[in-house]
Amino acid sequence: MDRLKPYLSEHQERFIKELLELLKYPSVSADPAFSQDVLNTADAVADALRQAGCDAVEVCDTRGYPIVYGEKVVDPSLPTILVYGHYDVQPPDPLGLWKSPPFEPVIRETELHPEGAIYARGASDDKGQMYMHIKALECMVRTHSLPCNVKFMIEGEEEVGSSSLEAFLKENRGKLANDIILISDTGMIAKDVPSVTTGLRGLSYVEVTVTGANRDLHSGLYGGAVANPINVLAKMIASLHDADNRVTIPGFYDRVVELSAKERALMAEAPFDLEAYKKALDIDAVYGEKGYTTNERNAIRPTLDVNGIWGGYTGEGAKTVIPGQAHAKISMRLVPNQDWHEITELFTRHFKSLAPAGVRVEVRPHHGGQAYVTPIDHIGYLAASKAYETTFGTRPVPHRGGGSIPIVPLFERELGSKTILMGFGLDSDAIHSPNEHFGVWNYLKGIETIPYFYHYYTELAKG
Ligand code: BES
Ligand code: MN
Ligand code: MN
C-alpha cells in the first residue's frame, strides 16, 4: 500500500492530461448527431482499461450504445468488485452560457478549487469520476497492490435511461457476478466533509401533450371561445401541488416510507449551511414541502417537477395566436417503496382526469427507475468508511442523495449485490449545467482513496 501514494504523485500530471483527452469526445447520448462520437468514446474507454491493466476488455454491443467491459481476475477465490460508470454525457446546451467550450477542456482556478478545476461537459458526471477508477486500477496494478478481482462495466446510455442495461444484466449474470458494486457518480458534502451516498431516489419521467383545436388560431377571432391548450396545461400543472407543496395525485404518498424521528435526527447532523446554500443559488428563500428541511426535501421526500414546457409562439416580437397544442416534460423523484411503474400509472390517470372538455390529453412515459438504500452496517459501507478515514483523516458522513441511478436497484434485483456510492464530486460542480467542472484535488483524492476501499473490503470480506 505504501507505494501507491508515490506512484500517484509521480504520474498525476499524466492522469490529468489523459482525462482532458477523454473529455474532448462529445459523447452526448441524447442527440443522434453525436452517435459516432459516442461510439468513439466507448473505444477510448476500452483502450484506457487495457492500458490500466485489465486482461479481458470488450466493447459489448447492445441495442443502443455499447457497454465497455473489462476485468482483472487475480484469483477466483478472492472477492470481486464490479465498478460501474458511464461515458455518455448530458447535452451541453445552453452553449452561450459556457465560459469555455464544453468539449475543449481547460483547467481554471477558483476560490473553492485553488488547485484548479477541469471545466468540460462530463468532467464530474461521469467521465472524471469514472476515470478515477481506471487510474486507481493502474496504480494498484503497477505497484502490485491489487488485493482482489475487479470487473468494469462502463455504459453509454446512463443519461438517457440505460434502456439496454436490464437485458445486458440478464444475459450476462455469470460474467458480471461480483461481491460488491462500486460507483462514483454522486457527490460528497464538502472537500473537508467526505460522505458516502447511502440512498438514491427513484424516478418517473413523462411527457404530456394537451391538444385543443386542429390548428393554431387567431387569438382575436377565436380567443375566449375555444380552449387554449397552454392556459389549460398551466392550470393542470398548477393543481398538481397543494398549498403545503404536497403532490395532489391520489395515492402518490401511499407507499412512502416515513423516516423515524431518530433517522431524521441523524440526517440533521450532517453539516449544512442554509444561508450559504441560498447564497450559492442567488435565492432569498428555499421552497418545498411543508414540514421538512431542505435536506429532507431533496433526499427522502418524493417530488414532482416540470422540466420543460413549450407551445405557441416564442420567437421575436408578438404574434397573436392560440396554439393548437401545449407540451411539458415532467419528472417525479421517488423514494423507497414507491414503484415507478405504479406512480406513472397514478400520474397518467389523474392528469387525464384533470382535462376539461374541449381538449385532449396524452401522457407518454419516458423512463424511470426505483429508489435505493445502502444500509450503513454493510461491510461495503464499513470498507468505504475506513478508506475515507485513511485518506481524508476523518470518517465519512452517510448521506442520502436526491438524484437517481436506475441501474443501482436493478443490480440488486438482477445480480443480488449491494452498491457502494463513493462520490467525489461537489454540488457546485454544475453537473447537467453550463460550466460543469471537477476539482483537480477531488479527482486525485478519489484516485488515492479508491485503492483503500479495495484493501479494506477484501480484508472485511475474508472475515
Ligand atoms: N450522476 C447522476 C446522478 C446523481 C448525481 C445522483 C448526483 C446523485 C447525486 C446521473 O448521471 C444522472 O444524471 N441521473 C439522472 C437519471 C437518469 C435516468 C437520466 C438524474 O438523476 O436525473
Ligand atoms: Mn452520472
Ligand atoms: Mn447525469
Side-chain angles (χ1 to χ4, degrees):
M1 292 303 284
D2 28 300
R3 292 179 57 196
L4 280 165
K5 191 91 191 270
Y7 185 89
L8 173 56
S9 309
E10 198 182 318
H11 297 275
Q12 64 179 44
E13 288 310 315
R14 174 172 57 83
F15 289 0
I16 295 167
K17 265 199 214 114
E18 286 178 16
L19 174 56
L20 296 182
E21 285 306 310
L22 186 66
L23 290 168
K24 289 181 186 168
Y25 293 85
S27 50
V28 182
S29 50
D31 185 347
F34 293 96
S35 63
Q36 190 55 50
D37 299 293
V38 183
L39 296 171
N40 294 343
T41 314
D43 291 335
V45 170
D47 283 341
L49 284 171
R50 274 182 212 107
Q51 271 162 31
C54 276
D55 296 326
V57 176
E58 277 173 77
V59 177
C60 308
D61 282 330
T62 69
R63 281 199 204 193
Y65 288 120
I67 291 171
V68 185
Y69 176 82
E71 63 176 37
K72 175 114 190 126
V73 176
V74 183
D75 173 349
S77 69
L78 286 169
T80 298
I81 297 174
L82 175 68
V83 175
Y84 163 87
H86 61 95
Y87 63 82
D88 65 322
V89 301
Q90 283 278 321
D93 58 274
L95 278 172
L97 294 182
W98 284 79
K99 290 196 197 109
S100 54
F103 299 109
E104 293 173 29
V106 289
I107 298 180
R108 282 201 295 274
E109 284 166 26
T110 69
E111 208 176 305
L112 187 59
H113 296 290
E115 310 83 4
I118 302 167
Y119 281 79
R121 171 58 85 231
S124 174
D125 183 12
D126 178 43
K127 282 177 179 159
Q129 297 216 67
M130 172 271 284
Y131 208 67
M132 295 182 314
H133 288 270
I134 300 186
K135 292 299 100 177
L137 175 68
E138 179 190 319
C139 291
M140 289 185 278
V141 169
R142 302 278 184 266
T143 60
H144 308 287
S145 52
L146 178 64
C148 60
N149 308 311
V150 58
K151 296 175 176 177
F152 280 80
M153 178 183 155
I154 314 293
E155 71 149 317
E157 293 182 296
E158 197 277 342
E159 299 292 8
V160 288
S162 305
S163 49
S164 307
L165 265 180
E166 189 166 348
F168 188 78
L169 293 190
K170 288 195 158 108
E171 284 158 20
N172 293 280
R173 280 210 179 87
K175 181 176 182 161
L176 298 172
N178 65 79
D179 297 283
I180 190 94
I181 294 162
L182 183 59
I183 302 182
S184 296
D185 193 21
T186 54
M188 58 180 183
I189 294 176
K191 284 167 88 172
D192 56 351
V193 188
S195 53
V196 175
T197 304
T198 51
L200 294 165
R201 285 195 285 191
L203 180 71
S204 163
Y205 200 110
V206 298
E207 185 166 329
V208 300
T209 299
V210 175
T211 306
N214 56 6
R215 57 189 166 94
D216 288 3
L217 303 170
H218 188 288
S219 66
L221 280 180
Y222 290 93
V226 295
N228 177 327
I230 299 186
N231 293 11
V232 169
L233 176 60
K235 212 165 167 177
M236 289 168 75
I237 288 171
S239 79
L240 294 175
H241 289 93
D242 67 14
D244 293 336
N245 280 319
R246 281 172 68 87
V247 175
T248 54
I249 299 169
F252 187 77
Y253 293 97
D254 283 3
R255 295 187 197 275
V256 170
V257 187
E258 293 286 341
L259 260 62
S260 67
K262 202 173 144 206
E263 283 172 300
R264 289 179 72 180
L266 204 68
M267 257 191 92
E269 279 175 26
F272 177 69
D273 180 343
L274 186 62
E275 287 314 309
Y277 184 85
K278 290 193 286 188
K279 193 160 170 254
L281 300 175
D282 268 328
I283 50 175
D284 54 16
V286 290
Y287 187 93
E289 186 183 353
K290 192 174 165 189
Y292 294 92
T293 65
T294 294
N295 275 334
E296 290 173 338
R297 286 170 178 169
N298 68 23
I300 58 159
R301 299 299 298 165
T303 60
L304 182 150
D305 276 292
V306 178
N307 296 244
I309 181 163
W310 70 101
Y313 183 68
T314 55
E316 283 297 313
K319 177 186 177 194
T320 48
V321 64
I322 294 176
Q325 284 196 320
H327 312 263
K329 293 187 192 272
I330 297 175
S331 67
M332 288 161 277
R333 295 283 169 173
L334 309 175
V335 299
N337 268 15
Q338 283 181 299
D339 174 68
W340 78 270
H341 300 286
E342 184 184 5
I343 292 291
T344 306
E345 274 286 318
L346 292 178
F347 174 89
T348 307
R349 208 178 310 147
H350 178 65
F351 201 71
K352 287 189 165 168
S353 80
L354 295 174
V359 301
R360 273 180 294 128
V361 171
E362 247 176 284
V363 177
R364 195 156 63 86
H366 275 278
H367 54 65
Q370 313 293 28
Y372 175 77
V373 183
T374 312
I376 60 173
D377 54 4
H378 191 276
I379 61 165
Y381 182 87
L382 300 175
S385 181
K386 285 176 156 219
Y388 283 98
E389 208 174 344
T390 307
T391 58
F392 284 74
T394 171
R395 252 190 236 159
V397 179
H399 171 76
R400 296 270 292 258
S404 310
I405 310 178
I407 179 70
V408 172
L410 275 184
F411 275 142
E412 183 164 23
R413 198 185 76 197
E414 297 299 327
L415 305 178
S417 315
K418 278 288 180 187
T419 292
I420 304 301
L421 296 150
M422 291 175 73
F424 292 91
L426 297 174
D427 281 356
S428 54
D429 286 353
I431 64 171
H432 295 205
S433 295
N435 304 306
E436 175 176 353
H437 57 279
F438 189 34
V440 169
W441 183 89
N442 299 65
Y443 177 56
L444 297 174
K445 205 68 183 168
I447 300 172
E448 184 189 343
T449 307
I450 290 163
Y452 287 96
F453 175 82
Y454 282 59
H455 172 76
Y456 288 119
Y457 182 76
T458 307
E459 211 174 77
L460 288 165
K462 281 180 179 167

